[in-house]
Amino acid sequence: MAKFIVAIETVKIKEFLFSTNKLKVIRGASYLLDYLNQVEVPKILKKDKRVEDKDIIYVGAGNAKFFVERETREEAERIVKEIIKEVKEKYEKEAPGAKVVGVYVETQYTKGQKSEEGKEVWNDLDKLGELTAIEKSKGFSTLNIDLPYVEKCELSGTEVAEVDSINLVEDLKKLGYQLNETEKEILISQESLGTEIDKVSVRTLEEQIEKLAKTTGRISEASLKKIIASNLLKESKIAIEEKVGFYQYIRNYIKEYNKSVSDKRLIIELKTNIDDFENEDSFIGFVYSDGDALGEFFKNLKNTFKNINSADREDEYLKFIGNFSKDLDEITKSSLAETLVDVFKNVNDEKRWGEFLIVGGDDVCAVFDPTLSLEISSNFQKKFEDMMFKNIEKMVNNHTKKLLESRITSSSGVVIAKSKTPIFQLFEKGMDLQKSAKKARRKAIDENLNKTGFIDFQVIGSEGCVDIDDFRKTISSEENKVIERPYAINIDKNDKNIKNFEELIKIVRKLKKANFPSNKLRYMYELKRNTELEEFEKKMDFINILSKMDKNNVELIKEMGIDYNNYDKFNENFKNIFDILEIYKFINDKDEVKGGNE
């Protein structure tokens, strides 16, 4: 007998999603990846019983790991290559431009038996990771379309324009799409649904292409497929049946929530363009969150099982890996769903919207109302952290309880920017901020502080290409800090080196509730940064402004960060003044809005 362990992974996902600034297209791209991973990959694996359920370690969040065992090495390898080829072809057909890597290694793993030392199944999984990294580093072939008379897709700019909104029916026929008798609808059938067929109106597609590609009305087949998929996201029979995508997840979650309440039932909006999400000041909130300490966790998991002396330790290891991967995906989705219900039930209808670009594995990438994005991000992170700890508590036993020391958290970057900012720039800045938050978490752990996630945020008022690090260095020095970002998500109280995000939000909410004038915050910020005044002069100016304020506002200023031991050193105070000033108008006063209708 010969056995291979196989890994198939969707890579360069961000490049596939953010090839355009059109949220409708990005939404369709996200749905396509979810559909292929959740529906098509399992179908390919189980075709002709090539892989049985017992041989699947995990399928989800863009990954699949499984065993293939046959009588001979040649037969097993043939089937492995066949599966990888079919998966790649399916992705290329349904989601042109998506990149898939398939790797495999021969394994000694046999259920109920110990492998030779150094050849255990966890080493095989490590080897798969190395091979995947090598395949990624090789890059992927691209078609050179920088040629005379070759028209590029208006939406992506990297693909040939093959579809014209004016001649859509004929172009659809050329590309092999099935139309109904009147040629007014595209028909999309699914084997698993029997006679059920999804339909997309040709006229609707024409209008959408004209709106999205306003200049030429010409797009690539890849962009067309993403647009079609975005139309299937809400009502597709396969999406509803298989619960494909986070929209279906949150839809079902809210449906169950609405059964438990007599009024204030919730709905969530999805719209077409990023412009549709702007508030009255034309801002949106972009959230990018990623799990922390997963690498450390898997390393500790491997070492933990290596030290267990039992014949079934590799079986238990694989079972743990499979369950953990499924639970991680579920916890990410349920944490966000719970957070949205908690936040949305206290705001008006017009704020209850979200665009879910990536939700799965340990990632969340989404767009929300700018006044809710910070609250949604921090609340999600707290729920995720709590749920992960409780879940691992349930999974461990006496042999594996040390895994609780590898506390899995989530760190996040939030960008509040003008709605016209290109979404790929929002993603880049969100990722930069998220990396900054992760760096702060690692530093806190090195200093033996709480293991918790961090959040970093930035308001970008004009250009999305601003260099955040350079900007911060120019306004906040070690000698005269006005920024204390990143903030910890879940610590009991402020530490001398680390500040609690919840405390920052509480201060801002108190200021807003008291109608504290934002121009006074601006004055304090500018006074602190004034390099022409000595500190005693700043102090005198500040005392002068305090004398003209009412008592309640003076008390609030004390809460904002006056250090009574250093009140003569003005620059030692208000180290978070720019943090407060920047998010002042983007934090909801809890008592300001309530309710909402069905």
Side-chain angles (χ1 to χ4, degrees):
M1 297 292 286
K3 181 183 281 192
F4 287 92
I5 184 168
V6 189
I8 298 176
E9 182 177 339
T10 314
V11 299
K12 297 190 178 296
I13 291 174
K14 278 81 176 182
E15 288 88 337
F16 179 73
L17 295 180
F18 300 112
S19 61
T20 174
N21 196 42
K22 305 298 183 181
L23 278 180
K24 187 172 189 66
V25 184
I26 297 169
R27 180 199 306 159
S30 179
Y31 171 81
L32 277 175
L33 293 183
D34 282 338
Y35 162 73
L36 287 165
N37 185 243
Q38 291 176 228
V39 178
E40 292 296 341
V41 170
K43 201 187 297 183
I44 290 170
L45 297 186
K46 295 176 182 179
K47 177 183 171 184
D48 299 327
K49 296 183 178 179
R50 293 184 294 195
V51 179
E52 298 182 21
D53 286 334
K54 65 181 179 63
D55 297 317
I56 296 175
I57 301 169
Y58 173 68
V59 177
N63 291 281
K65 288 185 175 66
F66 55 92
F67 293 104
V68 171
E69 185 175 17
R70 291 297 184 272
E71 288 292 334
T72 66
R73 189 180 191 281
E74 291 71 23
E75 176 66 4
E77 190 169 22
R78 181 188 67 77
I79 290 173
V80 168
K81 289 179 178 179
E82 192 176 86
I83 290 172
I84 292 173
K85 181 173 180 286
E86 286 183 26
V87 169
K88 287 183 175 181
E89 286 174 349
K90 177 58 73 171
Y91 270 79
E92 183 56 37
K93 179 183 177 183
E94 302 293 341
K99 308 294 188 237
V100 178
V101 168
V103 294
Y104 58 96
V105 294
E106 195 164 5
T107 179
Q108 285 191 1
Y109 167 72
T110 303
K111 188 175 177 63
Q113 295 181 22
K114 255 185 169 183
S115 300
E116 293 177 31
E117 187 174 348
K119 295 187 177 181
E120 298 91 347
V121 71
W122 41 77
N123 292 317
D124 296 331
L125 289 173
D126 286 347
K127 183 63 177 176
L128 286 178
E130 292 171 11
L131 292 174
T132 300
I134 290 170
E135 289 300 309
K136 287 182 188 178
S137 68
K138 289 179 181 177
F140 298 87
S141 60
T142 56
L143 180 67
N144 179 19
I145 61 171
D146 292 321
L147 299 168
Y149 311 111
V150 174
E151 187 173 357
K152 296 180 182 179
C153 170
E154 185 177 334
L155 299 181
S156 72
T158 58
E159 298 154 341
V160 177
E162 302 172 81
V163 180
D164 192 325
S165 61
I166 297 174
N167 196 38
L168 185 57
V169 170
E170 292 306 312
D171 288 342
L172 288 170
K173 288 179 181 177
K174 288 178 186 176
L175 293 170
Y177 286 87
Q178 182 184 357
L179 302 175
N180 67 354
E181 291 180 1
T182 61
E183 299 186 343
K184 290 184 178 180
E185 291 177 319
I186 297 176
L187 306 179
I188 302 168
S189 61
Q190 294 291 341
E191 295 174 14
S192 59
L193 295 175
T195 58
E196 297 284 353
I197 294 177
D198 284 319
K199 301 176 183 179
V200 179
S201 163
V202 172
R203 180 61 191 149
T204 297
L205 282 178
E206 288 174 352
E207 292 172 351
Q208 290 171 348
I209 294 169
E210 287 168 2
K211 184 176 181 180
L212 294 168
K214 293 179 182 178
T215 304
T216 64
R218 291 180 59 78
I219 62 173
S220 65
E221 184 185 9
S223 292
L224 174 68
K225 285 182 176 293
K226 293 173 184 177
I227 294 170
I228 292 172
S230 70
N231 287 283
L232 298 174
L233 177 65
K234 287 188 179 182
E235 304 301 335
S236 163
K237 295 176 179 65
I238 192 73
I240 294 170
E241 182 80 17
E242 302 285 350
K243 297 182 176 62
V244 177
F246 184 72
Y247 181 79
Q248 292 299 331
Y249 187 98
I250 187 67
R251 181 182 190 175
N252 289 327
Y253 191 95
I254 288 179
K255 185 178 179 181
E256 292 303 311
Y257 168 81
N258 285 339
K259 289 178 182 178
S260 66
V261 295
S262 57
D263 59 356
K264 298 180 183 176
R265 299 182 70 198
L266 298 181
I267 55 172
I268 287 184
E269 282 280 338
L270 286 181
K271 299 182 183 178
T272 300
N273 295 311
I274 205 164
D275 301 356
D276 294 330
F277 293 115
E278 61 190 71
N279 70 349
E280 63 273 12
D281 295 317
S282 299
F283 279 91
I284 57 171
F286 184 93
V287 175
Y288 181 67
S289 186
D290 184 47
D292 304 314
L294 282 164
E296 175 195 346
F297 178 82
F298 284 119
K299 182 179 178 181
N300 290 343
L301 181 66
K302 172 183 171 180
N303 291 334
T304 298
F305 276 94
K306 277 176 71 174
N307 293 326
I308 297 174
N309 189 24
S310 65
D312 66 348
R313 62 178 184 167
E314 291 174 73
D315 304 339
E316 291 301 311
Y317 173 79
L318 289 173
K319 181 180 176 183
F320 197 106
I321 286 276
N323 289 337
F324 176 83
S325 299
K326 291 171 189 171
D327 291 346
L328 175 64
D329 188 65
E330 172 62 24
I331 286 169
T332 297
K333 291 173 180 173
S334 62
S335 297
L336 183 57
E338 279 190 29
T339 296
L340 293 178
V341 167
D342 289 346
V343 173
F344 284 171
K345 67 187 179 185
N346 292 316
V347 300
N348 290 329
D349 287 349
E350 65 271 13
K351 291 180 181 285
R352 286 200 206 114
W353 55 261
E355 192 65 66
F356 312 108
L357 311 179
I358 306 172
V359 184
D362 60 336
D363 288 339
V364 169
C365 182
V367 181
F368 300 106
D369 182 278
T371 64
L372 300 179
S373 55
L374 287 164
E375 182 181 1
I376 288 172
S377 182
S378 60
N379 287 7
F380 159 76
Q381 288 172 259
K382 281 188 278 190
K383 285 184 187 295
F384 176 88
E385 189 173 315
D386 185 53
M387 285 187 184
M388 281 304 304
F389 185 77
K390 289 178 179 175
N391 185 67
I392 295 173
E393 263 189 326
K394 292 178 184 176
M395 293 180 70
V396 298
N397 54 33
N398 288 333
H399 296 298
T400 57
K401 61 184 178 183
K402 281 198 73 175
L403 290 171
L404 291 170
E405 296 174 11
S406 303
R407 190 157 183 128
I408 295 171
T409 62
S410 179
S411 289
S412 182
V414 178
V415 184
I416 298 173
K418 292 286 188 178
S419 62
K420 300 295 184 183
T421 308
I423 201 157
F424 72 89
Q425 289 185 349
L426 290 177
F427 176 73
E428 286 179 358
K429 299 309 170 190
M431 184 177 283
D432 288 344
L433 291 168
Q434 184 261 342
K435 288 177 180 176
S436 168
K438 279 185 177 291
K439 183 178 178 181
R441 180 189 181 275
R442 287 193 296 270
K443 183 180 178 183
I445 292 173
D446 290 342
E447 296 176 5
N448 295 317
L449 300 175
N450 300 54
K451 288 187 178 180
T452 184
F454 277 68
I455 184 171
D456 200 351
F457 55 88
Q458 187 71 43
V459 177
I460 300 175
S462 54
E463 296 298 326
C465 56
V466 63
D467 188 310
I468 293 173
D469 286 338
D470 283 351
F471 169 72
R472 290 181 179 179
K473 285 174 185 176
T474 62
I475 68 168
S476 184
S477 65
E478 285 299 318
E479 298 75 30
N480 188 19
K481 281 190 174 182
V482 295
I483 294 175
E484 291 193 304
R485 289 168 255 183
Y487 285 80
I489 286 298
N490 202 10
I491 57 172
D492 296 332
K493 59 182 180 179
N494 288 335
D495 179 90
K496 64 178 180 178
N497 297 319
I498 178 172
K499 304 301 177 185
N500 191 344
F501 186 67
E502 197 169 275
E503 293 301 315
L504 176 70
I505 299 302
K506 282 180 182 177
I507 290 171
V508 176
R509 285 205 170 109
K510 283 183 180 179
L511 291 169
K512 294 196 75 168
K513 195 171 181 180
N515 292 317
F516 191 93
S518 59
N519 66 318
K520 294 295 189 294
L521 295 173
R522 172 66 61 178
Y523 170 81
M524 291 157 63
Y525 165 68
E526 290 176 350
L527 180 62
K528 196 167 187 304
R529 287 198 62 214
N530 191 328
T531 57
E532 296 180 1
L533 295 178
E534 297 292 337
E535 286 201 72
F536 78 89
E537 293 176 299
K538 293 182 183 181
K539 175 188 172 184
M540 297 309 296
D541 279 1
F542 186 59
I543 289 173
N544 180 50
I545 196 70
L546 284 179
S547 67
K548 299 173 184 176
M549 298 177 72
D550 64 50
K551 183 180 178 181
N552 288 339
N553 281 345
V554 172
E555 289 300 315
L556 284 172
I557 285 176
K558 289 180 181 178
E559 289 189 43
M560 286 169 56
I562 290 182
D563 183 349
Y564 290 102
N565 294 321
N566 292 296
Y567 63 88
D568 282 329
K569 296 181 179 179
F570 187 82
N571 289 345
E572 291 296 317
N573 297 289
F574 308 119
K575 293 181 179 179
N576 61 355
I577 184 63
F578 190 66
D579 298 338
I580 293 171
L581 177 63
E582 196 169 53
I583 64 173
Y584 188 72
K585 71 176 182 178
F586 298 112
I587 298 295
N588 270 338
D589 175 3
K590 284 289 188 182
D591 298 328
E592 207 172 312
V593 285
K594 293 286 181 185
N597 301 313
E598 182 180 359

